[in-house]
Amino acid sequence: MTTTGEGWTTASLEAIPRIDGIEGAAGLVLVYSRLHRELPSVVCLTQAVHRLGREVDGPGDLRIPENAVSRLHALVELRGDGVWVVDAGSTNGTLVNGTRVPAARLAEHDVVRIGDTVFRFAAHGAQDYAAYRLEGGVEESQRKHRPSVRTELVGGHQIDALLARVEKVARTQLACIVTGESGTGKELLARTIHDTSERRGAYQAVNCAALPANLLESELFGYRRGAFTGATQDKPGLVRAAHGGTLFLDEIGDMPIEAQAKLLRVLQEREVVPLGSTTPERVDVRVICATHRDLETEVAMGRFRGDLLARLREFHVRLPPLRERREDLFRLTRAFLRRAGKADANVTLPFMLALAHYHWPYNVRELESAVRLAVALAETDELRAEHLPESVRSAVRDHGRTSPVVAVPAPAPVHAAPVTASAAPSEAELRAICARHSGNVTAIAKELGKERMQIHRWLKRYGIDIDEFRSRG
């Protein structure tokens, strides 16, 4: 055994075990540990019971040799109704989403803390995370996707999988829609698609939500001198400025319906008619759009044209929110520290615990701001939780609280089929699901196993406004 500089011992562990024949397995993906260089990046749950502790050594067990972990700390059990984590009488408790629990059934993206080691629960495909080390290294023999695109996006498996799809279509003429919450990097991805496309024309971008309807049309399609008061000379517009290149329309869901009709003409006829003109002009432009809205819902509500959506959605890619890829937090933090000129700064455990448990409503953009603030406030190269914004620190204010005493159900047969309820969720349950998916009706319907129209009927029954849960850019 070897001793680290912080006073605990670590065993010699195989950092990235070979994983074969477990496609689709659930697992615990490592988010942070002071022992992250010695621990595997993921624990794939492939047997009925897995043991986690300081002195476990059986097949499928995870040994975490730190003093905060009990000899046998917790069990992870595959039951008929899902994956359960059960505390084994540990000294420091087993925490799920910051709450100390005797047992809990895990849901996708739950945060599990065992001692001072933090995981994210992945309900399937956990084996794909094995190749990615928290410090940024990649084990090529375990890597599923190997995109060669150049990008400013930073991440592990999920970003690689996304870029592998992008690489296949970047050099085509397909129109693209990039969806995702504010701050996930939609414009960075659009720029990546343009750079990879090898189109020689310019990259032009406009935020459809930032301009009034009349100004948006003139910015996009241009105008002729005299078309309106103040039009003293011809203006080509962004569509023609992007000739031979790429036009990026951010927040396309906020585009006025009148402008949507003109954009549809650009896509269908490959021509644009400037304001004040009757003569169309030919254009060769590749359109990439981004939105945080559910455009299917916008079509159903009459706020977005279905024929335009069909034209724009030739290729669709979704950027996951940061809370769905917490395993990238440490990698992103180190990248932002390098950008701030503090590549050698020491990131402490309390600092990372706060990052790991915060909800990140504004995603990567918010994380970068938090790291920049911490660098400014820290008087040394040690970043502590007190250097983070209050909003982030509040995520661990009640950390470690004990959940109410509940009866722990006995394990169900491992191979029993999951029970699916046909009854409607309660209002509180539906609101919680809406919040978890940021108002994305498609994702809500998928979780509940229902059609989208059924979700809309339940929303109407409870008087829930879905827009309350949607992030604003």
Side-chain angles (χ1 to χ4, degrees), residues 130-425:
Y132 299 87
R133 307 300 300 163
L134 289 192
E135 63 271 19
V138 181
E139 176 56 52
E140 291 297 332
S141 65
Q142 293 287 331
R143 193 173 187 174
K144 183 175 182 179
H145 302 286
R146 295 175 175 82
S148 59
V149 299
R150 305 177 81 178
T151 183
E152 293 184 35
L153 291 169
V154 175
H157 162 62
Q158 293 192 56
I159 296 301
D160 267 5
L162 181 152
L163 291 175
R165 293 187 65 226
V166 164
E167 190 170 28
K168 293 178 180 179
V169 303
R171 293 178 178 86
T172 71
Q173 296 299 313
L174 294 176
C176 306
I177 288 185
V178 182
T179 58
E181 297 176 9
S182 176
T184 50
K186 296 188 291 294
E187 183 163 7
L188 285 179
L189 184 59
R191 189 77 204 214
T192 298
I193 295 172
H194 171 72
D195 291 343
T196 308
S197 72
E198 298 180 351
R199 291 178 65 84
R200 296 181 179 181
Y203 173 88
Q204 300 287 344
V206 64
N207 188 322
C208 298
L211 294 173
N214 59 330
L215 291 181
L216 178 63
E217 288 195 41
S218 63
E219 282 293 313
L220 281 176
F221 309 116
Y223 53 80
R224 293 300 188 198
R225 182 166 62 94
F228 50 84
T229 302
T232 58
Q233 59 184 11
D234 290 353
K235 180 175 181 177
L238 293 176
V239 172
R240 283 190 290 168
H243 180 72
T246 302
L247 175 65
F248 174 58
L249 301 173
D250 199 7
E251 298 303 349
I252 186 71
D254 292 286
M255 176 178 279
I257 202 78
E258 298 81 5
Q260 292 177 30
K262 294 186 177 182
L263 178 60
L264 181 61
R265 180 187 180 102
V266 172
L267 294 171
Q268 288 181 329
E269 308 298 334
R270 296 294 173 182
E271 60 185 29
V272 61
V273 180
L275 297 177
S277 174
T278 58
T279 305
E281 299 185 22
R282 300 293 295 176
V283 289
D284 170 23
V285 63
R286 204 261 189 87
V287 176
I288 303 176
C289 303
T291 182
H292 71 277
R293 296 187 182 278
D294 182 339
L295 292 182
E296 290 281 6
T297 300
E298 296 299 302
V299 171
M301 300 298 291
R303 294 191 291 257
F304 202 84
R305 295 180 62 119
D307 50 1
L308 177 59
L309 176 58
R311 286 284 182 177
L312 292 173
R313 199 171 54 188
E314 293 177 322
F315 174 69
H316 172 223
V317 61
R318 171 185 177 267
L319 274 165
L322 189 52
R323 61 184 172 276
E324 292 182 8
R325 57 181 187 109
R326 296 176 195 267
E327 63 277 2
D328 291 341
L329 281 167
F330 188 64
R331 184 189 297 250
L332 283 162
T333 298
R334 301 290 350 167
F336 294 144
L337 287 172
R338 288 192 295 272
R339 191 175 298 178
K342 292 289 185 179
D344 295 329
N346 176 36
V347 178
T348 63
L349 174 65
F351 184 95
M352 284 305 304
L353 284 177
L355 298 190
H357 287 85
Y358 183 54
H359 193 58
W360 298 110
Y362 306 109
N363 296 290
V364 179
R365 184 184 297 131
E366 187 179 14
L367 174 62
E368 182 174 17
S369 296
V371 172
R372 291 175 60 191
L373 175 65
V375 168
L377 293 180
E379 297 179 354
T380 67
D381 282 340
E382 183 174 87
L383 302 184
R384 303 189 298 274
E386 65 194 66
H387 300 138
L388 289 166
E390 168 59 25
S391 57
V392 181
R393 296 200 310 271
S394 66
V396 288
R397 181 173 296 132
D398 298 324
H399 193 74
R401 65 191 183 281
T402 302
S403 67
V405 177
V406 295
V408 179
V414 173
H415 298 296
V419 177
T420 56
S422 58

Side-chain angles (χ1 to χ4, degrees), residues 419-427 429-430 433 444-445 447-451 454-455 457-458 461-462:
V419 177
T420 56
S422 58
S426 67
E427 179 179 352
E429 290 171 335
L430 186 56
I433 296 170
I444 296 166
E447 176 171 334
L448 293 174
K450 300 293 181 181
E451 297 296 327
Q454 179 61 64
I455 304 303
R457 284 193 286 268
W458 284 338
R461 176 193 301 179
Y462 294 128

Side-chain angles (χ1 to χ4, degrees), residues 43-72:
V43 180
C44 287
L45 306 176
T46 58
Q47 58 193 50
V49 179
H50 294 259
R51 302 184 304 166
L52 285 70
R54 192 175 69 245
E55 296 183 6
V56 298
D57 59 3
D61 293 345
L62 176 65
R63 186 176 177 223
I64 310 174
E66 61 178 25
N67 292 336
V69 175
S70 296
R71 286 180 291 180
L72 174 60

